[in-house]
Amino acid sequence: MSTNEQPWYKRFWNWLCGKVKQWWKLSAPSVAQSVLDTLNDPELQATALACVKAVADGGFKGNRAFKKAFESFSETLKEQGKELHTNVKDTLIQNAYCVLKNSEE
């Protein structure tokens, strides 16, 4: 069966997959760069670190500390009129804990 003899839905599927692949090649780098820019934002990093320090100073440890810091960070961002995806906030809090832990040793 030649290409022209393929059913219409197979030709359509092949066309669609080609367009999606082109779109992904164009958009993926800019999405990745946007996430990196957000994670490297000094203001967001400072805010996350301040939340982590406040929780640590409050005597919280482990998962409870992480949850408290995450909630505090989320609330602070909300007050500032900023919104971030959960996974980005999670990463910023984890990085802040890493900075705090390594600065105390």
Side-chain angles (χ1 to χ4, degrees):
M1 184 179 260
S2 71
T3 306
N4 292 336
E5 295 177 22
Q6 286 183 342
W8 69 269
Y9 55 87
K10 285 189 178 181
R11 288 192 313 270
F12 175 74
W13 181 253
N14 291 337
W15 173 84
L16 182 63
C17 288
K19 296 300 179 188
V20 168
K21 188 183 245 184
Q22 288 173 353
W23 172 80
W24 181 255
K25 284 182 180 179
L26 290 173
S27 65
S30 62
V31 170
Q33 188 60 51
S34 177
V35 172
L36 284 174
D37 291 345
T38 301
L39 293 175
N40 289 315
D41 182 295
E43 188 178 315
L44 290 173
Q45 290 175 346
T47 303
L49 186 57
C51 292
V52 167
K53 283 181 179 179
V55 168
D57 291 344
F60 291 95
K61 297 205 182 287
N63 289 339
R64 192 166 173 221
F66 185 87
K67 184 178 178 185
K68 283 281 204 189
F70 186 88
E71 290 170 356
S72 175
F73 184 55
S74 296
E75 187 61 36
T76 302
L77 291 176
K78 191 175 184 179
E79 290 169 2
Q80 295 174 352
K82 296 178 183 177
E83 274 188 53
L84 294 176
H85 288 281
T86 301
N87 60 327
V88 175
K89 290 188 286 187
D90 186 86
T91 301
L92 283 162
I93 293 295
Q94 287 181 30
N95 289 346
Y97 266 111
C98 183
V99 167
L100 183 66
K101 182 175 167 88
N102 289 312
S103 68
E104 292 177 352
E105 291 180 353

